[in-house]
Amino acid sequence: AAGETALGVTLMEPVAKGHKVAVQPIAAGEPVRKFGFPIGTATRDILPGEHVHTHNVSTALAPGGAYAFTPLEQTGTSFEGPGFL
């Protein structure tokens, strides 16, 4: 909810669980980073505590926002040893 504090930043508006929030100012045209990796470009200035989403960020997935998942061909190799279920 607005007014709540997360990571030392006061939220300016309600933000859904799992969505991004600016923790520092991001100027229009600057890259928006998640865990240090660029995920898009700010389409306007974004203040700390603001919801970061499609209304203020253009995607970095592909030109024009189009994206198609194309998995690599399976090689048939297997892994021997400890792993996850």
Side-chain angles (χ1 to χ4, degrees), residues 2-3 6-7 11-12 19-20 27 29 33 41 43 47 52 56-58 60 62 64-65 68 75-77 79 83-84:
L7 298 172
L11 300 180
M12 298 177 69
H19 281 235
K20 297 167 288 303
R33 298 180 183 278
T41 303
T43 57
L47 298 173
V52 177
N56 55 13
V57 176
S58 64
T75 62
T77 59
F79 174 75
F84 295 100

Side-chain angles (χ1 to χ4, degrees), residues 2-82:
E4 288 187 41
T5 302
L7 298 172
V9 174
T10 301
L11 300 180
M12 298 177 69
E13 57 195 302
V15 177
K17 185 183 282 188
H19 281 235
K20 297 167 288 303
V21 174
V23 295
Q24 63 186 35
I26 307 169
E30 285 188 346
V32 175
R33 298 180 183 278
K34 180 177 178 181
F35 301 118
F37 295 95
I39 60 167
T41 303
T43 57
R44 64 169 180 81
D45 291 345
I46 305 172
L47 298 173
E50 278 193 79
H51 183 206
V52 177
H53 201 53
T54 57
H55 66 286
N56 55 13
V57 176
S58 64
T59 184
L61 289 176
Y67 175 75
F69 176 69
T70 52
L72 298 175
E73 185 178 318
Q74 295 292 326
T75 62
T77 59
S78 63
F79 174 75
E80 297 290 330

